[in-house]
C-alpha cells in the first residue's frame, strides 16, 4: 500500500529488495532497490521526498528510477547516467493492493488474477472501499512448500483448529475446494450451530481462502467486510516468512475487528505448530513422500503439479 503522503516505500520480494514509488505524474513504479553503482540497498525506509539517494556514495535517482546525480561523474568522460537507472519491475494494482513481479517476463496482473476479483466481489467485499488496519508478520521454522500445503487443506481443521471448527463447517461434504489456472480456493460455510466468542453473522456469508500462484494468500472470514492478504515467502530451506495485511470495511466496529483478529491469530498459531512439526518430521530423512487424500487434499495436488511444471 502507498498511503499518502508517502512517496516511496521499500519491500522485500523474496530476497529481491524493491522500492515502490509514486512519482509526480501519479504513476506507480516498482524498482529494484539496488544501487547501480556498487550494489548497496538504496532505500531502507518509507519517505516523502522526490528523490532516492543511496547512502553509500550519494548517487541520486528520481522516483521513476532515472539517475539524476552521481558525485564526481563530471570527472568520468565515458560515464553515461542514462544507462544507470534503477531496474524497473512489472507492477499492477487491484483495489488498494499493489503487486510487483520479480522478473519482467510475467503476464499482466489482470490475466494472473483472472476470476479472483469476481469471487471476492461476490463474497460481498468491495476492495476499493477497504481500509488498511494492521500488518501481522511471522517467521516459521518450516520449508515454504510445507507452509503452502498446510494452507491448502482443511482436512486438519477438525483436529487441529477446534475454535475454527466450532464456527466454520469443515466436514468433507460442507467445505468447498476449487482450482483455477492461477489460483485455488477454499469455501468454508458458517455452521448452523456455530459457537464461540467470534460472531460470524453478517453480510459475508462464508469464508473464502485463496492462494494466488506463486505465493499470495488471501483470506476472507464470514461476518462483516474483511480481507487479509500477504505473501508466503521462502527464506531458506527450513524457514518461511509471512505477513498478512488486514483490511476492513469502514463501518466495521473495533469490537468485531478485535474478535475476528483474535480468532484468526488462534488459527495462525495452531498452524505454526503444525508446519514446524512437519518440518521436524521431514528433517528426520525417513519420510517417503507420503499420501494425499484427493477428496480433501486436492488443492495440494494442484499446487504440486504447478511446482512440478515450473521445475521441469
Ligand atoms: S553503491 Fe550506491 S552510491 Fe555507491
Ligand atoms: Fe490450519
Amino acid at each position: 500500500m502507498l498511503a499518502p503522503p508517502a512517496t516511496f516505500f521499500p519491500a522485500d520480494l523474496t530476497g529481491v529488495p524493491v522500492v515502490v514509488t509514486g512519482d509526480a505524474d501519479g504513476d506507480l513504479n516498482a524498482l529494484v532497490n539496488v544501487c547501480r553503482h556498487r550494489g548497496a540497498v538504496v532505500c531502507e525506509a518509507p519517505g516523502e521526498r522526490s528523490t532516492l539517494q543511496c547512502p553509500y556514495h550519494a548517487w541520486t535517482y528520481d522516483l521513476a528510477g532515472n539517475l539524476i546525480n552521481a558525485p564526481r561523474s563530471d570527472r568520468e568522460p565515458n560515464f553515461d547516467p542514462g544507462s544507470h537507472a534503477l531496474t524497473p519491475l512489472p507492477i499492477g494494482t487491484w483495489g488498494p493492493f499493489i503487486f510487483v513481479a520479480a522478473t519482467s517476463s510475467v503476464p499482466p496482473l489482470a490475466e494472473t488474477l483472472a476470476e479472483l476479483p469476481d469471487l471476492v466481489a461476490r463474497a460481498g467485499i468491495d476492495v476499493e472501499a477497504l481500509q488498511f488496519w494492521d500488518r501481522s508478520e511471522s517467521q516459521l521454522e518450516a520449508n515454504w512448500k510445507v507452509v503452502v500445503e498446510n494452507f491448502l487443506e482443511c482436512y486438519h481443521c477438525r483436529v487441529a483448529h477446534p475454535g475454527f471448527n466450532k464456527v466454520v463447517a469443515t466436514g468433507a461434504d460442507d467445505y468447498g475446494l476449487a482450482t483455477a489456472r492461477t489460483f485455488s480456493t477454499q469455501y468454508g460455510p458458517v455452521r448452523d450451530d456455530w459457537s464461540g466468542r467470534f460472531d460470524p453473522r453478517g453480510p459475508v456469508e462464508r469464508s473464502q481462502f485463496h492462494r494466488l500462484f506463486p505465493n499470495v494468500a488471501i483470506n476472507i472470514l464470514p461476518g462483516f467486510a474483511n480481507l487479509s492478504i500477504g505473501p508466503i515467502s521462502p527464506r531458506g530451506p527450513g524457514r518461511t516468512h509471512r505477513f498478512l495485511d488486514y483490511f476492513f470495511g469502514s463501518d466495521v466496529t473495533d469490537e468485531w475487528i478485535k474478535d475476528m483478529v483474535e480468532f484468526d491469530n488462534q488459527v495462525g498459531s495452531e498452524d505454526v505448530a503444525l508446519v514446524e512439526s512437519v518440518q521436524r518430521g521431514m528433517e528426520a530423512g525417513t519420510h517417503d513422500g507420503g499420501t494425499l487424500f484427493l477428496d480433501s487434499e486436492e488443492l495440494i495436488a494442484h499446487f504440486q503439479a504447478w511446482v512440478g511444471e515450473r521445475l521441469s
Side-chain angles (χ1 to χ4, degrees):
M1 225 180 35
L2 197 63
T7 50
F8 54 81
F9 67 85
D12 179 273
L13 212 58
T14 311
V16 179
V18 169
V19 56
V20 175
T21 71
D23 65 28
D25 300 330
D27 292 329
L28 275 181
N29 308 282
L31 308 163
V32 176
N33 190 14
V34 176
C35 184
R36 293 296 307 279
H37 177 217
R38 292 212 345 258
V41 170
V42 176
C43 164
E44 298 278 11
E48 299 172 24
R49 296 184 308 277
S50 57
T51 56
L52 302 166
Q53 187 172 68
C54 179
Y56 203 166
H57 312 91
W59 281 30
T60 303
Y61 304 86
D62 68 17
L63 296 182
N66 302 301
L67 179 64
I68 54 175
N69 188 41
R72 304 188 197 175
S73 58
D74 53 332
R75 300 167 70 94
E76 302 290 327
N78 296 322
F79 180 72
D80 172 20
S83 61
H84 288 80
L86 296 178
T87 306
L89 292 171
I91 186 167
T93 60
W94 167 35
F97 318 129
I98 298 172
F99 293 79
V100 176
T103 65
S104 55
S105 57
V106 293
L109 178 63
E111 211 174 290
T112 301
L113 292 175
E115 317 91 77
L116 189 48
D118 279 349
L119 295 183
V120 170
R122 270 189 260 147
I125 308 290
D126 174 5
V127 294
E128 302 287 349
L130 290 175
Q131 295 181 351
F132 176 68
W133 183 74
D134 202 4
R135 171 171 293 187
S136 139
E137 290 197 67
S138 52
Q139 188 86 18
L140 302 99
E141 300 300 317
N143 180 273
W144 172 78
K145 197 163 150 291
V146 170
V147 177
V148 172
E149 290 182 353
N150 176 67
F151 179 85
L152 288 175
E153 52 91 0
C154 206
Y155 179 30
H156 69 273
C157 291
R158 185 166 296 199
V159 185
H161 299 311
F164 181 81
N165 190 58
K166 282 183 185 155
V167 172
V168 175
T170 62
D173 292 327
D174 302 311
Y175 195 82
L177 306 176
T179 59
R181 192 178 53 81
T182 56
F183 65 93
S184 60
T185 299
Q186 300 165 74
Y187 297 104
V190 175
R191 295 173 66 115
D192 294 335
D193 59 347
W194 68 269
S195 63
R197 180 181 165 140
F198 169 60
D199 186 341
R201 291 170 298 179
V204 180
E205 289 177 359
R206 61 177 179 171
S207 341
Q208 288 190 4
F209 305 111
H210 305 284
R211 198 186 75 87
L212 178 67
F213 293 141
N215 69 337
V216 178
I218 300 171
N219 308 305
I220 296 169
L221 285 174
F224 296 94
N226 73 91
L227 185 149
S228 61
I229 181 169
I232 303 172
S233 304
R235 283 288 189 276
R239 182 165 292 183
T240 301
H241 177 261
R242 291 194 67 173
F243 73 76
L244 273 178
D245 282 349
Y246 284 83
F247 293 80
F248 294 93
S250 57
D251 55 346
V252 183
T253 65
D254 287 350
E255 195 185 352
W256 192 86
I257 292 174
K258 185 169 161 285
D259 285 350
M260 196 219 85
V261 171
E262 199 174 289
F263 178 77
D264 205 39
N265 284 344
Q266 176 65 32
V267 177
S269 62
E270 289 160 355
D271 278 327
V272 171
L274 295 173
V275 297
E276 292 186 347
S277 158
V278 171
Q279 183 65 27
R280 290 199 308 277
M282 293 285 160
E283 285 177 359
T286 57
H287 189 64
D288 65 359
T291 298
L292 289 180
F293 281 180
L294 289 181
D295 183 55
S296 298
E297 297 171 304
E298 175 196 351
L299 304 192
I300 296 180
H302 180 242
F303 165 60
Q304 290 183 347
W306 182 90
V307 171
E309 267 172 39
R310 262 101 203 136
L311 291 178
S312 57

